[in-house]
Amino acid sequence: MSRDLLDHAVPTTGGGSCLDDLPARALDARELRELVDRLADEPGLWRQHVAFSDDERHYASLYRDEFVDVWLLCWTPQNDTGWHDHDVSSGAVRVVQGVLEENNPRIGGDHLRTEVGEGVSFAFGPDHIHRLVGAADASVSIHAYSPPLWRLGQYSISPEGVMRRVSVSYADELRPMEQEAPTA
């Protein structure tokens, strides 16, 4: 697993960052999207953590307090989160370099596939299930969650279309789950 877990106890960055004036409460999806958009304009907070690997997705914790959790994720086309949710957390993603592909599951049809390019952000509530894949070499994204991630749901879809959920820790790297063998 390739990750940097920074000091989670630091409540502010102290340099006039948008992280310095976060409210002392959970943020909604709209506020999280505004946060990742503002953080994209502060590369001094995240640029030094950018690194790439085809074998493991590189990620770094940029900020964490009792209300919000911010991560930098680096992607290659070989990096795939697999299907997952964020348990009770809302979230937002901003692509700061390259392109990500977001997939949303669709019952009885092809999954919804959206390319999210550099400079684009999106937000979601805790009911959102998706899969993210690096769609270009050397892609970078900023993610924010509120309340902070603790558990996530990881999903597998069998060849028959049966979906199963497994609870995993926020510190585990998300990867596609092994598909279940067809049942007779």
Side-chain angles (χ1 to χ4, degrees), residues 86-104:
H86 302 91
D87 200 38
V88 299
S89 301
S90 291
V93 175
R94 166 73 181 253
V95 178
V96 295
Q97 178 179 309
V99 180
L100 295 184
E101 179 182 297
E102 182 190 30
N103 294 275
N104 302 104

Side-chain angles (χ1 to χ4, degrees), residues 80-85 105 107 111 129-131 152-168 174-182:
D80 180 347
T81 63
W83 297 105
H84 68 280
D85 66 40
I107 306 301
H111 302 306
I129 299 171
H130 68 172
R131 176 181 206 150
L152 294 101
Q154 184 97 51
Y155 295 84
S156 67
I157 302 174
S158 73
E160 294 83 17
V162 175
M163 184 178 273
R164 304 234 188 270
R165 183 183 192 272
V166 174
S167 184
V168 297
L174 294 176
R175 293 177 169 264
M177 293 181 67
E178 295 297 321
Q179 297 300 314
E180 298 175 15

Side-chain angles (χ1 to χ4, degrees), residues 36-120:
V36 295
D37 287 342
R38 289 190 325 238
L39 286 167
D41 294 331
E42 295 188 40
L45 294 176
W46 52 265
R47 181 65 68 193
Q48 69 273 23
H49 302 291
V50 172
F52 301 97
S53 170
D54 287 341
D55 298 324
E56 334 179 283
R57 190 167 20 92
H58 178 80
Y59 51 99
S61 175
L62 300 178
Y63 179 87
R64 186 176 177 98
D65 67 18
E66 64 186 293
F67 303 108
V68 70
D69 192 10
V70 180
W71 294 81
L72 177 83
L73 283 79
C74 303
W75 307 81
T76 70
Q78 289 72 38
N79 301 149
D80 180 347
T81 63
W83 297 105
H84 68 280
D85 66 40
H86 302 91
D87 200 38
V88 299
S89 301
S90 291
V93 175
R94 166 73 181 253
V95 178
V96 295
Q97 178 179 309
V99 180
L100 295 184
E101 179 182 297
E102 182 190 30
N103 294 275
N104 302 104
R106 244 191 214 164
I107 306 301
D110 292 336
H111 302 306
L112 179 62
R113 180 182 163 269
T114 305
E115 285 199 352
V116 183
E118 186 172 324
V120 177

Side-chain angles (χ1 to χ4, degrees), residues 135-146:
D137 287 334
S139 297
V140 178
S141 55
I142 299 171
H143 301 236
Y145 305 98
S146 188

